[in-house]
Amino acid sequence: AQAEIFIVKEEGEIEGRAGDLVSLIPIGRCESVSLTGFEYGAGEFDLPAGTTRGLSNLLLKGRGKIKIASGELFVIHNRPREPDAQEH
């Protein structure tokens, strides 16, 4: 698997495939986080430092949006490895 890691401050978007694993790790406290296009996390919620609530979410249709009223998040997007065309 390949992973991309980036920081979201106010708003961010992830593109991948349905079923890609995404984890959100707050840097300090994040308030009024809202997610679109993910299996878990409907509505607005807070992510305090040290919480596990943002771990191991899934993209639904290959694109997800993250909005944060205040705070910053590390986003870890795990992409499954592409099958090698030479493997049988």
Side-chain angles (χ1 to χ4, degrees), residues 6-75:
F6 56 95
I7 294 174
V8 172
K9 291 185 180 181
E10 294 175 359
E11 196 170 310
E13 190 168 298
I14 297 173
E15 291 191 32
R17 292 185 173 174
D20 282 5
L21 187 65
V22 178
S23 292
L24 309 175
I25 301 171
I27 304 169
R29 180 176 178 81
C30 292
E31 296 181 351
S32 298
V33 177
S34 65
L35 305 176
T36 306
F38 293 90
E39 185 169 346
Y40 309 109
E44 286 190 2
F45 55 94
D46 293 342
L47 287 175
T51 187
T52 58
R53 181 171 182 184
L55 300 181
S56 299
N57 208 334
L58 300 172
L59 281 178
L60 289 177
K61 296 184 179 180
R63 176 174 285 175
K65 292 185 180 182
I66 303 164
K67 292 185 180 181
I68 308 166
S70 68
E72 297 178 330
L73 292 170
F74 279 116
V75 178

